[in-house]
Amino acid sequence: VSGLGGQGVIRCGMIIGMGASIYDGKHATVLQSFGPEARGSASSAQVTVSDAPIGYPYVKHADILILMSPDAYRQFAATLKPGGLLIYESELIKLDRPLPEGARAFGVPASRLAEELGRRIILNAVMVGVFAGLTSVVSSEALEKAVGESVPKTTRELNLTAFRKGLEYVRGA
């Protein structure tokens, strides 16, 4: 998961890891990286999910990439494995290079969908919903629980609505 600080990149990765480990009973690691500025700098979360213990938590070649900014696309698109899945913010990122063999891309206007709900910052919850709708790595029920448990109580319902909106977007595509 990569984008800019302030887009909820780290929380997106944490939600996926939490859903996998706490609610689906899998093994998960989450490594975070972010620039010196709190907002606007590069940010990423490397999430590894497995049915077996994880011996090496670093992601060199991703099965799934969630990219939320053009800089993230430029930096990480080449790490997608052949046959992988690229989930990207379609109103910010323009795909300008070929995907690896057998890979597929799914664009979602996550920022706009979040704005329609009243807060652009919940685009990460939209992206988690899209991830849930497109993959079976972590169950959608586990991810929904993780969203609810990982956000402030004051924004819980809004984040859950954003998660469901991401799921609905996939189902309507």
Side-chain angles (χ1 to χ4, degrees), residues 2-21:
S2 187
L4 299 173
Q7 289 183 307
V9 169
I10 303 299
R11 184 164 304 206
C12 185
M14 297 298 285
I15 289 169
I16 293 169
M18 179 184 201
S21 63

Side-chain angles (χ1 to χ4, degrees), residues 4 9-10 28-29 31 36 38 49-50 53 57 66 77 97 104 116 118 120 122 128 141 143 146 155 159 165 170-171:
L4 299 173
V9 169
I10 303 299
T29 62
L31 300 175
V49 175
S50 177
I66 300 173
R97 62 184 78 167
R104 61 189 175 109
E116 289 171 3
R120 185 181 182 107
I122 59 170
V128 173
E141 297 81 13
L143 289 168
T155 63
N159 276 276
K165 190 159 189 127
V170 171
R171 291 177 181 148

Side-chain angles (χ1 to χ4, degrees), residues 50 53 121 144:
S50 177
I121 196 164
E144 186 168 9

Side-chain angles (χ1 to χ4, degrees), residues 40-108:
S41 62
S43 177
S44 68
Q46 295 183 2
V47 183
T48 303
V49 175
S50 177
D51 292 326
I54 299 165
Y56 186 79
Y58 297 96
V59 177
K60 288 187 174 186
H61 302 287
D63 293 303
I64 302 166
L65 280 176
I66 300 173
L67 303 178
M68 300 187 209
S69 74
D71 286 342
Y73 174 65
R74 282 189 289 280
Q75 185 173 357
F76 293 105
T79 68
L80 185 64
K81 283 182 180 177
L85 172 62
L86 170 64
I87 301 169
Y88 67 99
E89 209 312 340
S90 62
E91 292 187 347
L92 298 177
I93 298 170
K94 301 300 175 221
L95 301 183
D96 61 2
R97 62 184 78 167
L99 294 172
E101 184 178 329
R104 61 189 175 109
F106 188 88
V108 57

